[in-house]
Amino acid sequence: MEVGTGSFAELKYLTIRDGHVENSHGGGGNSGAGLYVSREAKVRAYFVNITGNTAVRNSGAGIVNFGELYMEDCNISDNKVEDPTGAQQFFHGGGLLNIGHAELNRVSIIDNKAEQGGAISASNSRVMRELTGVPVYTKLNAVTIKGNVASWEA
């Protein structure tokens, strides 16, 4: 599911499941097999489950956020980033790749996998600040993080 640039979406009582995105060109990317929040987009999510999504040779299996993301009473689970070539290109964010503003309240992030940032990966590099126009901000309140894996073999 993609929320485009400048858009607003409010998601309630929703499951986003079994999304699949693949980059066969080898360069990687930030795709969001479950949910993709574009630059300058805003998403508010309540009681949403993002589960079972796979990003192959991409970063961000569950969620990629370049905009503003607010989540409350949600579950991000069993998402995985894969690189079957074993090239170790540092694909990030099994559960959440945050390159924008994200606030998570009472969210469970469980059993996600990636090469780096099995649960959450947040980048505040100069390149990312120039891309988004704002510094990266990640706020976690009463968040459960367990069973996530970050490894080259994820």
Side-chain angles (χ1 to χ4, degrees), residues 46-82:
Y46 305 91
F47 303 99
V48 171
N49 293 307
I50 298 176
T51 185
N53 299 289
T54 304
V56 179
R57 297 182 59 80
N58 280 280
S59 292
I63 303 169
V64 171
N65 177 45
F66 280 95
E68 293 182 30
L69 174 66
Y70 177 86
M71 300 183 81
E72 189 171 295
D73 299 309
C74 295
N75 178 51
I76 304 167
S77 64
D78 299 308
N79 300 289
K80 61 185 174 181
V81 173
E82 296 179 339

Side-chain angles (χ1 to χ4, degrees), residues 79 92-96 109 111-121 148-151:
N79 300 289
H92 303 268
L96 167 65
I109 305 172
D111 295 332
N112 299 285
K113 297 178 182 178
E115 290 179 345
Q116 293 186 344
I120 299 172
S121 180
N148 299 282
V149 176
S151 72

Side-chain angles (χ1 to χ4, degrees), residues 5 17 19 26 38 40 44-45 52 55 65 68-69 73 80 84 96 101-103 107 112 117 121 132 138 147:
T5 300
R17 150 182 289 140
S38 299
E40 298 178 13
R44 297 184 72 77
N65 177 45
E68 293 182 30
L69 174 66
D73 299 309
K80 61 185 174 181
L96 167 65
H101 288 286
E103 182 175 342
V107 173
N112 299 285
S121 180
T132 64
T138 307

